[in-house]
C-alpha cells in the first residue's frame, strides 16, 4: 500500500506540472454510487486550454468481513485528459459542460478474496496490482453554476499481476501461485459523479 501513495503523489505532481500554474477552472467531484456503497473517493478537474481539461481521481475500497475471512480491498488512482467537443456553459473559471473524449491511465493495488462454493478450502484470495489505459468518454449535465452531473465510461486494456492464496486456514499466508497475470479488454472505468465548481 505504501507504493500506492508514492504513485498517487507522483500523479498529483504531474498534474500540477502540466497545468503550469495557469489552470483557470477547478472543480472537485465524487463517484456517487461508490460513495453510497461505502467506498471513499475524490476527484479534481482543472482547465488547461479553451477545450482541454485534466482530470485526476483516487478511490479506496476498505471492505473486510470476519465471518469467512473475506476481503475486498482496493486503492486506485487515475489521470485523464479530456477534449470537450462542443462545450457549453462557459464561466469565468473556464469550466465546461457537454460531451468529452480523451485518453486515460489508471493504477491500483488490490487484495480480494470472496467465499465461494460454501467451502473455504475452495475459496482463494488474490493480492497484487494492476494498470489500465484506454479511451474515456462522457457527458457533463448542467445543474447550476456550482453543480454538475458527470457520467463517464472508460474502455481499454487492463493488466493485472497478483499472488494467489487460500482464503483462510493454516496456510492462508503462503502463496499458492506467484506473479500470476491476467489481461482484460473492455470497460475498465465507470462513474456517475456529482461535480462541484470551486470557482463559479
Amino acid at each position: 500500500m505504501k507504493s500506492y501513495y508514492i504513485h498517487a503523489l507522483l500523479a498529483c505532481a504531474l498534474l500540477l506540472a502540466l497545468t503550469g500554474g495557469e489552470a483557470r477552472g477547478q472543480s472537485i467531484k465524487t463517484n456517487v454510487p461508490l460513495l453510497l456503497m461505502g467506498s471513499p473517493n475524490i476527484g479534481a478537474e482543472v482547465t488547461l486550454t479553451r477545450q482541454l481539461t485534466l482530470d485526476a481521481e483516487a478511490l479506496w475500497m476498505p471492505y473486510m468481513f470476519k465471518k469467512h475471512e473475506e476481503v475486498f480491498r482496493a486503492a486506485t488512482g487515475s489521470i485523464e485528459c479530456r477534449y470537450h467537443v462542443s462545450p457549453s456553459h462557459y464561466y469565468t473559471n473556464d469550466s465546461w459542460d457537454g460531451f468529452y473524449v480523451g485518453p486515460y491511465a489508471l493504477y491500483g493495488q488490490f487484495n480480494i478474496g470472496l467465499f465461494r462454493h460454501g467451502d473455504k478450502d475452495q475459496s482463494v484470495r488474490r493480492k497484487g496490482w494492476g494498470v489500465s489505459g484506454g479511451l474515456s468518454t462522457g457527458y457533463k449535465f448542467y445543474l447550476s453554476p456550482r453543480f454538475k452531473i458527470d457520467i463517464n465510461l472508460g474502455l481499454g486494456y487492463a493488466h493485472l499481476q497478483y499472488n494467489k492464496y487460500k482464503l483462510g486456514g493454516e496456510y492462508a499466508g503462503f502463496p499458492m501461485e506467484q506473479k500470476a497475470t491476467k489481461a482484460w479488454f473492455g470497460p475498465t472505468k465507470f462513474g456517475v459523479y456529482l461535480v462541484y465548481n470551486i470557482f463559479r
Side-chain angles (χ1 to χ4, degrees):
M1 192 63 68
K2 185 177 179 181
S3 62
Y4 166 75
Y5 294 113
I6 293 172
H7 286 92
L9 288 172
L10 290 173
C12 291
L14 177 63
L15 178 66
L16 293 173
L18 289 174
T19 60
E22 299 296 327
R24 295 158 290 180
Q26 297 87 23
S27 60
I28 57 174
K29 63 180 184 176
T30 188
N31 192 334
V32 176
L34 288 176
L35 190 64
L36 293 175
M37 289 169 50
S39 298
N41 67 91
I42 191 167
E45 186 173 2
V46 296
T47 301
L48 301 179
T49 68
R50 187 166 176 80
Q51 288 180 267
L52 198 63
T53 63
L54 196 62
D55 181 88
E57 301 173 33
L59 161 72
W60 179 46
M61 291 183 175
Y63 311 121
M64 190 165 188
F65 312 98
K66 292 184 178 179
K67 186 176 180 180
H68 299 294
E69 297 184 50
E70 291 181 293
V71 61
F72 199 102
R73 288 186 167 175
T76 67
S78 67
I79 192 163
E80 177 182 341
C81 187
R82 296 177 170 181
Y83 176 76
H84 294 257
V85 177
S86 183
S88 59
H89 293 104
Y90 178 79
Y91 301 112
T92 56
N93 68 330
D94 295 354
S95 182
W96 295 105
D97 301 339
F99 176 74
Y100 60 84
V101 64
Y104 76 93
L106 184 148
Y107 171 82
Q109 295 185 342
F110 59 89
N111 185 8
I112 299 173
L114 300 176
F115 188 63
R116 296 183 181 275
H117 312 297
D119 185 358
K120 188 179 290 187
D121 289 333
Q122 296 183 40
S123 304
V124 297
R125 176 174 61 91
R126 293 173 175 87
K127 183 178 181 180
W129 58 271
V131 292
S132 174
L135 193 65
S136 174
T137 186
Y139 196 93
K140 285 186 193 172
F141 296 91
Y142 173 83
L143 298 179
S144 74
R146 289 284 188 186
F147 290 98
K148 306 174 190 179
I149 294 292
D150 182 359
I151 299 178
N152 177 268
L153 174 66
L155 301 173
Y157 169 77
H159 172 84
L160 305 177
Q161 181 175 300
Y162 55 87
N163 294 341
K164 187 187 291 187
Y165 304 84
K166 284 189 174 294
L167 184 59
E170 184 180 355
Y171 300 103
F174 299 92
M176 303 164 53
E177 187 177 351
Q178 290 185 309
K179 295 187 177 180
T181 60
K182 186 172 184 179
W184 163 262
F185 290 94
T188 58
K189 187 172 181 283
F190 177 74
V192 179
Y193 301 89
L194 178 63
V195 181
Y196 176 76
N197 287 341
I198 298 173
F199 301 108
R200 186 167 59 85

